[in-house]
């Protein structure tokens, strides 16, 4: 299973990226092939409406690579910090550079990071976007807060809440099940 993880924080080394990397590690252990696209490190240019219906025609090499990876993905994870009770603009812009054809019937995991549990609004709003892309948001979602992280003596931020790791594993399990069901359905329709 190829999984494209879009880490939607514009801040380098963010908590959103830390959770995205945790998910990638768990996907690797499960035998999947994750790719973490860190939008802080590799931003996507502003979406050009000229290519809305067919993003594969966009000549920008960054957009072309994003579209290529999205086409190859069997599943997605969309991760974002809370920005004004919603998901980040950099994640929205990345999604605007893609189309329904990249997401059609693929499972999507949702991740939010914010100061309180009201950060669930990010996941709620992303569910609407995922539905508009004709994809399927899996039931398990991750809402991380500051208390889920610690900074040990060596000064590197770490995830310290084992419940967060458990929620991440549930999401991975659901992505695998939904992706396998999608593959079976596509095989049956070709037969």
């Amino acid at each position: 299973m190829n999984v494209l993880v879009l880490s939607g924080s514009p801040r380098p080394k963010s908590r959103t990226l830390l959770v995205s990397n945790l998910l990638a590690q768990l996907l690797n252990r499960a035998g999947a092939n994750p790719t973490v696209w860190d939008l802080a490190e590799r931003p996507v240019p502003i979406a050009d409406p000229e290519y809305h219906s067919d993003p594969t025609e966009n000549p920008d090499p960054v957009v072309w690579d994003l579209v290529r990876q999205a086409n190859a993905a069997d599943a997605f994870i969309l991760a974002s910090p809370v920005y004004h009770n919603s998901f980040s603009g950099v994640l929205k812009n990345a999604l605007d550079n893609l189309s329904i054809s990249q997401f059609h019937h693929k499972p999507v995991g949702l991740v939010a990071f914010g100061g309180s549990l009201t950060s669930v609004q990010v996941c709620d709003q992303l569910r609407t976007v995922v539905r508009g892309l004709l994809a399927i948001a899996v039931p398990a979602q991750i809402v991380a807060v500051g208390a889920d992280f610690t900074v040990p003596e060596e000064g590197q931020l770490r995830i310290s809440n084992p419940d967060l790791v458990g929620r991440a594993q549930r999401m991975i399990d659901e992505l695998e099940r939904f992706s396998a069901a999608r593959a079976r359905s596509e095989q049956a329709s070709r037969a």
Side-chain angles (χ1 to χ4, degrees), residues 1 27 30-32 107 169 171-181:
M1 176 174 70
L27 284 160
Q169 188 58 59
M171 177 185 289
I172 299 303
D173 294 344
E174 288 182 4
L175 286 171
E176 288 176 331
R177 283 196 302 274
F178 279 70
S179 185

Side-chain angles (χ1 to χ4, degrees), residues 92-112:
K92 172 74 165 103
N93 182 62
L95 294 172
D96 286 346
N97 273 285
L98 300 171
S99 71
I100 289 171
S101 61
Q102 282 76 51
F103 284 88
H104 193 252
H105 290 164
K106 294 180 183 179
V108 181
L110 304 175
V111 178

Side-chain angles (χ1 to χ4, degrees), residues 4 6 8 29 45 52 72 87 106 133 153 168 170 174 183 186 191:
L4 180 56
L6 293 176
R29 286 186 204 151
H52 178 72
F87 55 99
K106 294 180 183 179
L133 291 167
E153 291 176 17
R170 279 193 301 280
E174 288 182 4
E186 286 182 352

Side-chain angles (χ1 to χ4, degrees), residues 37-46 60 62-63 90 93-94:
W37 188 298
D38 177 6
L39 288 164
E41 184 178 301
R42 193 160 184 218
V44 179
I46 297 295
D60 187 284
V62 175
V63 174
V90 295
N93 182 62

Side-chain angles (χ1 to χ4, degrees), residues 105-121:
H105 290 164
K106 294 180 183 179
V108 181
L110 304 175
V111 178
F113 169 75
S116 70
L117 290 178
T118 59
S119 304
V120 73
Q121 294 169 342

Side-chain angles (χ1 to χ4, degrees), residues 19 77-83 85-88 91 108-114 116-131 137-144 167 171:
V19 175
I77 295 174
L78 306 179
S80 178
V82 178
Y83 276 47
N85 291 328
S86 186
F87 55 99
S88 70
L91 179 58
V108 181
L110 304 175
V111 178
F113 169 75
S116 70
L117 290 178
T118 59
S119 304
V120 73
Q121 294 169 342
V122 168
C123 294
D124 292 343
Q125 292 172 7
L126 282 171
R127 279 185 193 285
T128 301
V129 171
V130 167
R131 186 173 53 245
V138 298
Q141 63 188 26
I142 297 171
V143 176
R167 290 191 306 272
M171 177 185 289

